[in-house]
Amino acid sequence: MGLGYIGLPTAALIASKGIKVHGVDVNEKIVETINKGKIHIKEPDLDNLVKKVVEKKFLIADTKPTEADIYIIAVPTPFKNDYEPDLSYVESAIDMITPYLKEGSLIIIESTSPIGTTKKMYERIVEKRPELKNKIYMAYCPERVLPGKILYELEHNDRVVGGINKESAKKAKEFYQIFVKGNIYETNSKTAEMCKLVENAYRDVNIAFANELSLICDKAGIDVWELIELANKHPRVNILQPGVGVGGHCIAVDPWFLIKAFPNESKLMKTAREVNLYKTEWVIDRIKKAIKEFEKNYGRKPKVACLGLTYKPDVDDLRESPALYITEKLIEEGYNIYPVDPLIKDFDKFKVYDLDVVDNADIVVILVGHKLFKDINKDKLKYKIVLDFCDIIKKV
Ligand code: SAJ
């Protein structure tokens, strides 16, 4: 249920093991695309795999579910206003499969969910189908894959499966063992739900630490990247990299599921979220200051090349990208912005320029550390104002 960034690669991988998969998505266009053997998301190697399994008829996409032995829920769990988790997609997927369930059905939720969701969904099912009480298996199994490496990580990462009871965890483990090469650890559903949230909150807190250091270093006149490199020479220190904020669909979202449920106990996670959000505004402020300074010195509006639009380096994914947010905001406010991202084609919100635009720019801002930016000729930057928020230029 759900053929997005997680559901589609999972469906295709399972189908590639010779298991018939009936993939469901409420979006008719997505269903049509997949049934043609094509994909609607960007992920390396996924197109070939989907083409192969659709041609062999192991994967069929549909807007409605059908009777099956195992149901996997991989729909989004966004948050509503005020960061309250929105479970409506999960509930709707559960409601769609409920009429098809039978004794012995196994239901697995992979969607990131607040603690207690799997049990709640079990109760939702047995309320409508009381005859299935204690007769179905239900488990939570968080996905852990990294966009850009999804197919490899789906197969090789360790997994945690949390059952509403021991039998459910065991059944879910047996199923994942068909296509997962990593270890599979059994636990209860609450622990598995929290495990997903904790993994991403952990990364958010660690990135916030790096971003906070970048703010301190800026004031103290210290190169934060050199500092981190040196501090990381300590055998028990491993600081992450500062950037223009935290993007993507997970790390900036998942901590809120914990913060909202445990506001008094999650002060560190909340502050980390605030630090990471603030870093993006700080970057905007920095760019505006540089523009103002240029105007004061040269009496004209500068041309500003903004390099990188994606949510992180070397992917073509724009979801919740702070670099895109920064660029859009500056364009909206009427600055002379020339966005550049060699990984983004066919963008309809504004024109995306080639890297050559750097030649004519007065200010060059690096928002995303794509490897491709290492091709920039350093001599060309000599007489320009460079704001490098990713430490790319030093490495050119
Ligand atoms: N970032 C930094 N500094 C760093 C590392 C990352 O600023 O040192 C930024 C990135 O630029 C990006 C954001 O953080 O904007 C997130 O990037 P990421 O590579 O850390 O993570 P995602 O969002 O691509 O994938 C994460 C992964 N979670 C963890 O590593 C704990 C992945 O394993 C999860 O499956 C995924 O979230 C998810 O779907 O939850």
Side-chain angles (χ1 to χ4, degrees):
M1 304 297 294
L3 293 173
Y5 276 87
I6 302 304
L8 181 57
T10 305
L13 183 65
I14 297 168
S16 75
K17 304 291 172 194
I19 294 169
K20 291 243 174 193
V21 180
H22 187 90
V24 179
D25 203 290
V26 289
N27 185 323
E28 278 178 27
K29 248 185 144 176
I30 291 177
V31 167
E32 248 173 58
T33 308
I34 295 168
N35 282 335
K36 281 184 201 151
K38 299 203 168 113
I39 58 172
H40 61 291
I41 53 176
K42 290 171 177 168
E43 181 59 32
D45 305 324
L46 183 63
D47 46 355
N48 285 334
L49 188 68
V50 168
K51 190 166 176 277
K52 209 171 82 187
V53 293
V54 170
E55 269 170 11
K56 288 192 173 162
K57 300 210 166 18
F58 277 108
L59 173 62
I60 293 171
D62 196 353
T63 51
K64 291 192 178 65
T66 187
E67 201 172 291
D69 300 304
I70 299 156
Y71 298 84
I72 301 179
I73 315 285
V75 293
T77 36
F79 49 62
K80 300 183 235 176
N81 297 338
D82 202 25
Y83 301 114
E84 280 294 341
D86 178 1
L87 276 179
S88 60
Y89 296 93
V90 175
E91 287 167 352
S92 148
I94 290 286
D95 293 347
M96 277 171 88
I97 62 166
T98 300
Y100 297 95
L101 299 176
K102 53 184 193 277
E103 196 177 325
S105 294
L106 168 63
I107 303 123
I108 298 165
I109 302 181
E110 287 206 3
S111 311
T112 304
S113 300
I115 298 162
T117 303
T118 313
K119 274 254 164 81
K120 261 194 207 149
M121 292 305 121
Y122 169 75
E123 278 150 21
R124 195 177 172 96
I125 293 169
V126 294
E127 201 179 296
K128 287 190 186 131
R129 302 273 314 270
E131 77 280 13
L132 291 177
K133 192 164 183 204
N134 299 325
K135 300 254 166 64
I136 52 173
Y137 303 104
M138 206 151 167
Y140 182 77
C141 178
E143 60 78 19
R144 296 172 145 173
V145 291
L146 200 69
K149 277 178 147 190
I150 291 183
L151 285 178
Y152 177 85
E153 292 209 350
L154 261 183
E155 216 170 345
H156 293 90
N157 286 359
D158 289 349
R159 300 290 291 249
V160 172
V161 289
I164 52 166
N165 47 40
K166 285 209 162 105
E167 300 75 54
S168 294
K170 194 168 156 266
K171 283 268 173 203
K173 179 176 177 174
E174 280 164 13
F175 169 61
Y176 280 100
Q177 273 170 334
I178 299 171
F179 62 98
V180 171
K181 291 190 176 128
N183 297 320
I184 300 167
Y185 299 97
E186 290 171 58
T187 181
N188 59 56
S189 54
K190 264 165 94 173
T191 307
E193 286 157 351
M194 177 129 173
C195 199
K196 170 72 191 177
L197 304 178
V198 163
E199 287 161 17
N200 281 348
Y202 167 85
R203 194 148 170 90
D204 198 41
V205 169
N206 281 279
I207 297 169
F209 184 73
N211 277 332
E212 187 161 286
L213 290 182
S214 74
L215 303 177
I216 296 172
C217 283
D218 184 71
K219 276 220 162 141
I222 290 168
D223 178 337
V224 68
W225 284 281
E226 185 194 356
L227 171 83
I228 290 174
E229 203 179 322
L230 294 174
N232 283 350
K233 301 287 180 207
H234 184 290
R236 283 171 298 282
V237 173
N238 187 10
I239 305 169
L240 294 179
Q241 298 297 298
V244 297
V246 171
H249 209 58
C250 308
I251 295 192
V253 178
D254 297 359
W256 289 113
F257 287 51
L258 279 170
I259 299 165
K260 275 285 149 180
F262 305 95
N264 294 328
E265 295 77 16
S266 57
K267 293 193 178 74
L268 178 64
M269 290 184 236
K270 185 158 188 258
T271 307
R273 270 291 67 236
E274 284 162 358
V275 169
N276 286 332
L277 285 168
Y278 172 69
K279 182 68 196 281
T280 307
E281 300 304 328
W282 183 87
V283 168
I284 294 176
D285 196 53
R286 271 297 134 123
I287 300 169
K288 284 187 186 172
K289 274 194 184 130
I291 293 173
K292 255 204 191 119
E293 185 77 16
F294 184 96
E295 285 171 352
K296 211 173 87 194
N297 293 338
Y298 297 93
R300 66 172 174 89
K301 274 174 98 175
K303 286 183 182 161
V304 184
C306 283
L307 274 53
L309 290 171
T310 58
Y311 87 88
K312 65 176 181 178
D314 307 319
V315 296
D316 51 11
D317 195 332
L318 291 167
R319 288 179 298 166
E320 326 296 330
S321 164
L324 177 60
Y325 170 81
I326 292 164
T327 309
E328 272 184 322
K329 199 138 195 220
L330 294 169
I331 293 173
E332 263 166 38
E333 291 185 23
Y335 294 103
N336 227 341
I337 304 296
Y338 294 80
V340 177
D341 198 317
L343 298 182
I344 297 300
K345 312 263 180 276
D346 311 322
F347 192 58
D348 52 12
K349 277 196 181 158
F350 48 72
K351 185 169 161 56
V352 181
Y353 292 80
D354 287 337
L355 200 49
D356 301 347
V357 88
V358 165
D359 296 358
N360 299 319
D362 303 300
I363 301 178
V364 178
V365 182
I366 318 237
L367 298 172
V368 183
H370 289 318
K371 282 194 196 92
L372 280 165
F373 293 151
K374 291 184 180 158
D375 294 343
I376 302 171
N377 183 343
K378 224 177 176 180
D379 290 339
K380 282 186 185 171
L381 299 175
K382 245 185 201 159
Y383 303 106
K384 299 181 193 296
I385 296 156
V386 178
L387 301 178
D388 181 4
F389 297 104
C390 315
D391 198 32
I392 271 283
I393 293 308
K394 231 190 325 159
K395 292 177 187 153
V396 170

Coordinates of all heavy atoms in Angstrom, one line a residue, residues 317-360:
D317 N 17.1 15.1 -5.6 CA 15.9 15.1 -4.8 C 15.7 16.5 -4.2 O 16.6 17.0 -3.5 CB 16.1 14.0 -3.7 CG 14.8 13.7 -3.1 OD1 13.9 14.5 -3.0 OD2 14.7 12.5 -2.6
L318 N 14.6 17.1 -4.5 CA 14.3 18.4 -4.0 C 13.4 18.5 -2.7 O 13.1 19.6 -2.2 CB 13.7 19.3 -5.1 CG 14.5 19.6 -6.3 CD1 13.7 20.2 -7.4 CD2 15.6 20.6 -5.9
R319 N 13.0 17.3 -2.2 CA 12.0 17.3 -1.1 C 12.6 18.1 0.1 O 13.6 17.8 0.6 CB 11.7 15.9 -0.7 CG 10.8 15.2 -1.8 CD 10.5 13.8 -1.4 NE 11.7 13.0 -1.3 CZ 11.7 11.8 -0.7 NH1 10.7 11.3 -0.2 NH2 12.9 11.1 -0.7
E320 N 11.8 19.0 0.6 CA 12.1 19.8 1.8 C 13.5 20.3 1.7 O 14.2 20.3 2.8 CB 11.9 19.0 3.1 CG 10.8 18.0 3.1 CD 9.4 18.6 3.0 OE1 9.2 19.8 3.4 OE2 8.5 18.0 2.4
S321 N 13.9 20.8 0.6 CA 15.3 21.2 0.5 C 15.5 22.6 1.0 O 14.9 23.6 0.5 CB 15.8 21.2 -1.0 OG 16.9 22.0 -1.2
P322 N 16.4 22.8 2.0 CA 16.7 24.2 2.5 C 17.3 25.0 1.4 O 17.1 26.2 1.4 CB 17.6 24.0 3.7 CG 18.0 22.5 3.7 CD 17.1 21.8 2.8
A323 N 18.1 24.4 0.5 CA 18.8 25.2 -0.5 C 17.7 25.8 -1.5 O 17.8 26.9 -1.9 CB 19.8 24.3 -1.3
L324 N 16.7 25.0 -1.8 CA 15.6 25.4 -2.7 C 14.9 26.5 -2.0 O 14.5 27.6 -2.6 CB 14.7 24.2 -3.0 CG 13.5 24.6 -3.9 CD1 13.9 25.2 -5.2 CD2 12.6 23.3 -4.1
Y325 N 14.6 26.3 -0.7 CA 13.9 27.4 0.1 C 14.6 28.7 0.1 O 14.0 29.7 -0.1 CB 13.7 26.8 1.5 CG 13.2 27.8 2.5 CD1 11.8 28.1 2.6 CD2 14.1 28.5 3.4 CE1 11.4 29.0 3.6 CE2 13.6 29.4 4.3 CZ 12.3 29.7 4.4 OH 11.8 30.6 5.3
I326 N 15.9 28.6 0.3 CA 16.8 29.8 0.3 C 16.7 30.5 -1.0 O 16.5 31.7 -1.1 CB 18.2 29.5 0.7 CG1 18.3 29.0 2.2 CG2 19.2 30.7 0.5 CD1 19.6 28.2 2.5
T327 N 16.9 29.8 -2.1 CA 16.9 30.3 -3.4 C 15.6 31.0 -3.8 O 15.5 32.1 -4.3 CB 17.3 29.2 -4.5 OG1 18.4 28.5 -4.0 CG2 17.5 29.8 -5.8
E328 N 14.5 30.2 -3.5 CA 13.1 30.8 -3.8 C 12.9 32.1 -3.0 O 12.3 33.0 -3.6 CB 12.1 29.7 -3.4 CG 11.8 28.8 -4.5 CD 10.7 27.8 -4.1 OE1 10.6 27.4 -2.9 OE2 9.9 27.5 -5.0
K329 N 13.3 32.1 -1.8 CA 13.0 33.2 -0.9 C 13.8 34.5 -1.5 O 13.2 35.6 -1.6 CB 13.5 32.9 0.5 CG 12.9 33.9 1.5 CD 12.5 33.2 2.7 CE 11.6 34.1 3.5 NZ 11.7 34.2 4.9
L330 N 15.0 34.3 -1.9 CA 15.8 35.4 -2.5 C 15.2 35.9 -3.8 O 15.2 37.1 -4.1 CB 17.3 35.0 -2.6 CG 18.0 34.7 -1.3 CD1 19.4 34.0 -1.6 CD2 18.2 36.0 -0.5
I331 N 14.8 34.9 -4.6 CA 14.1 35.3 -5.9 C 12.9 36.1 -5.6 O 12.7 37.2 -6.2 CB 13.8 34.1 -6.8 CG1 15.1 33.4 -7.2 CG2 12.9 34.4 -8.0 CD1 14.9 32.1 -7.9
E332 N 12.1 35.6 -4.7 CA 10.8 36.3 -4.3 C 11.0 37.7 -3.9 O 10.3 38.6 -4.1 CB 10.1 35.5 -3.2 CG 9.0 34.6 -3.6 CD 8.7 33.7 -2.4 OE1 8.7 34.1 -1.2 OE2 8.5 32.5 -2.6
E333 N 12.1 37.9 -3.1 CA 12.4 39.2 -2.6 C 13.1 40.1 -3.6 O 13.5 41.2 -3.3 CB 13.3 39.1 -1.3 CG 12.4 38.5 -0.2 CD 13.1 38.4 1.1 OE1 14.1 39.2 1.3 OE2 12.7 37.6 1.9
G334 N 13.2 39.7 -4.9 CA 13.6 40.5 -6.0 C 15.2 40.6 -6.2 O 15.6 41.5 -6.9
Y335 N 15.9 39.8 -5.5 CA 17.4 39.8 -5.8 C 17.7 39.2 -7.1 O 16.9 38.4 -7.7 CB 18.1 39.1 -4.6 CG 18.0 39.8 -3.3 CD1 17.1 39.2 -2.3 CD2 18.7 40.9 -3.0 CE1 16.9 39.9 -1.1 CE2 18.5 41.5 -1.8 CZ 17.6 41.0 -0.8 OH 17.5 41.6 0.4
N336 N 18.9 39.5 -7.7 CA 19.3 39.1 -9.0 C 19.9 37.7 -8.9 O 21.1 37.5 -8.9 CB 20.4 40.1 -9.4 CG 20.1 40.5 -10.8 OD1 19.4 39.8 -11.6 ND2 20.7 41.6 -11.2
I337 N 19.1 36.6 -8.8 CA 19.6 35.3 -8.4 C 19.7 34.4 -9.7 O 18.7 34.3 -10.5 CB 18.7 34.6 -7.4 CG1 18.5 35.5 -6.1 CG2 19.2 33.2 -7.0 CD1 19.8 35.7 -5.3
Y338 N 20.8 33.7 -9.8 CA 21.0 32.7 -10.9 C 21.2 31.4 -10.3 O 22.3 31.0 -9.9 CB 22.2 33.1 -11.8 CG 22.0 34.4 -12.5 CD1 22.1 35.7 -11.8 CD2 21.6 34.4 -13.8 CE1 21.9 36.9 -12.5 CE2 21.3 35.6 -14.5 CZ 21.5 36.8 -13.8 OH 21.3 38.0 -14.5
P339 N 20.1 30.6 -10.2 CA 20.2 29.3 -9.6 C 20.9 28.3 -10.5 O 20.7 28.3 -11.7 CB 18.8 28.8 -9.3 CG 17.9 30.0 -9.7 CD 18.7 30.9 -10.6
V340 N 21.8 27.5 -9.9 CA 22.5 26.5 -10.7 C 22.4 25.1 -10.0 O 22.6 25.0 -8.8 CB 24.1 26.8 -10.7 CG1 24.9 25.8 -11.5 CG2 24.3 28.2 -11.4
D341 N 22.0 24.1 -10.7 CA 22.2 22.7 -10.2 C 22.2 21.8 -11.4 O 21.2 21.5 -12.0 CB 21.0 22.4 -9.3 CG 21.4 21.2 -8.4 OD1 21.9 20.2 -9.0 OD2 21.1 21.2 -7.2
P342 N 23.4 21.2 -11.7 CA 23.5 20.3 -12.8 C 22.7 19.1 -12.7 O 22.4 18.4 -13.6 CB 25.0 20.0 -12.8 CG 25.7 20.9 -11.9 CD 24.7 21.4 -10.9
L343 N 22.2 18.8 -11.4 CA 21.5 17.5 -11.2 C 20.0 17.7 -11.5 O 19.2 16.8 -11.5 CB 21.7 16.9 -9.8 CG 23.1 16.5 -9.5 CD1 23.2 15.9 -8.2 CD2 23.6 15.5 -10.6
I344 N 19.6 19.0 -11.6 CA 18.1 19.3 -11.7 C 17.8 19.7 -13.2 O 18.3 20.7 -13.7 CB 17.7 20.4 -10.8 CG1 17.8 19.9 -9.3 CG2 16.2 20.8 -11.0 CD1 17.1 18.7 -8.9
K345 N 17.0 18.9 -13.8 CA 16.6 19.2 -15.2 C 15.0 19.4 -15.1 O 14.4 18.9 -14.3 CB 16.8 18.0 -16.1 CG 18.2 17.4 -16.0 CD 19.2 17.9 -17.1 CE 20.5 17.3 -16.9 NZ 21.5 17.9 -16.0
D346 N 14.5 20.1 -16.1 CA 13.1 20.4 -16.3 C 12.5 20.9 -15.0 O 11.5 20.4 -14.5 CB 12.3 19.1 -16.6 CG 13.0 18.4 -17.8 OD1 13.4 19.1 -18.7 OD2 13.0 17.1 -17.8
F347 N 13.0 22.0 -14.5 CA 12.4 22.5 -13.3 C 11.5 23.7 -13.7 O 11.8 24.5 -14.5 CB 13.5 23.1 -12.4 CG 13.0 23.4 -11.0 CD1 12.4 22.5 -10.2 CD2 13.2 24.7 -10.5 CE1 12.0 22.8 -8.9 CE2 12.8 25.1 -9.2 CZ 12.2 24.1 -8.4
D348 N 10.2 23.7 -13.2 CA 9.3 24.7 -13.8 C 9.1 25.9 -12.9 O 8.4 26.9 -13.3 CB 7.9 24.0 -14.1 CG 7.4 23.2 -12.9 OD1 7.9 23.4 -11.8 OD2 6.4 22.5 -13.1
K349 N 9.6 25.9 -11.7 CA 9.4 27.1 -10.8 C 10.2 28.3 -11.2 O 9.8 29.4 -11.1 CB 9.7 26.7 -9.4 CG 8.5 26.0 -8.7 CD 8.7 26.1 -7.2 CE 7.6 25.3 -6.5 NZ 8.0 24.9 -5.2
F350 N 11.4 28.1 -11.7 CA 12.3 29.2 -12.2 C 13.4 28.6 -13.0 O 13.6 27.3 -13.1 CB 12.9 30.0 -11.0 CG 13.5 29.2 -9.9 CD1 14.7 28.5 -10.1 CD2 12.9 29.1 -8.6 CE1 15.3 27.7 -9.1 CE2 13.5 28.3 -7.6 CZ 14.7 27.7 -7.9
K351 N 14.1 29.4 -13.8 CA 15.1 28.9 -14.7 C 16.3 28.5 -13.9 O 16.8 29.1 -13.0 CB 15.5 30.1 -15.7 CG 16.5 29.6 -16.7 CD 16.6 30.7 -17.8 CE 17.8 30.7 -18.6 NZ 18.1 29.4 -19.3
V352 N 16.8 27.3 -14.3 CA 18.0 26.8 -13.6 C 19.2 26.9 -14.7 O 19.0 26.5 -15.8 CB 17.9 25.3 -13.2 CG1 19.2 24.8 -12.5 CG2 16.7 25.2 -12.2
Y353 N 20.3 27.6 -14.3 CA 21.3 27.9 -15.2 C 22.4 26.9 -15.2 O 22.6 26.1 -14.3 CB 21.9 29.3 -14.9 CG 21.0 30.4 -15.1 CD1 20.0 30.7 -14.2 CD2 21.0 31.2 -16.3 CE1 19.1 31.7 -14.4 CE2 20.1 32.2 -16.5 CZ 19.1 32.5 -15.5 OH 18.2 33.5 -15.8
D354 N 23.3 26.9 -16.2 CA 24.5 26.1 -16.3 C 25.6 26.6 -15.3 O 25.5 27.8 -15.0 CB 25.1 26.0 -17.7 CG 24.2 25.2 -18.6 OD1 23.5 24.3 -18.1 OD2 24.3 25.4 -19.8
L355 N 26.5 25.8 -15.0 CA 27.6 26.3 -14.1 C 28.4 27.5 -14.7 O 29.0 28.2 -13.9 CB 28.5 25.1 -13.9 CG 29.4 25.1 -12.7 CD1 28.7 25.4 -11.4 CD2 30.1 23.7 -12.5
D356 N 28.3 27.6 -16.0 CA 29.1 28.7 -16.7 C 28.6 30.1 -16.1 O 29.4 31.1 -16.3 CB 28.8 28.8 -18.2 CG 29.2 27.5 -18.8 OD1 30.0 26.7 -18.1 OD2 28.9 27.3 -20.0
V357 N 27.4 30.2 -15.6 CA 26.9 31.4 -15.2 C 27.7 32.1 -14.0 O 27.7 33.3 -13.8 CB 25.4 31.2 -14.7 CG1 25.3 30.8 -13.3 CG2 24.6 32.5 -15.0
V358 N 28.5 31.2 -13.4 CA 29.5 31.6 -12.4 C 30.4 32.7 -12.9 O 30.7 33.7 -12.3 CB 30.3 30.4 -11.8 CG1 31.5 30.9 -11.0 CG2 29.3 29.6 -11.0
D359 N 30.8 32.6 -14.2 CA 31.7 33.5 -14.9 C 31.3 35.0 -14.7 O 32.1 35.9 -14.5 CB 31.9 33.2 -16.4 CG 32.5 31.8 -16.6 OD1 32.8 31.2 -15.5 OD2 32.6 31.4 -17.7
N360 N 29.9 35.2 -14.9 CA 29.4 36.5 -14.9 C 28.9 37.0 -13.5 O 28.3 38.1 -13.4 CB 28.3 36.7 -15.9 CG 28.8 36.4 -17.3 OD1 29.9 36.8 -17.6 ND2 28.1 35.6 -18.1

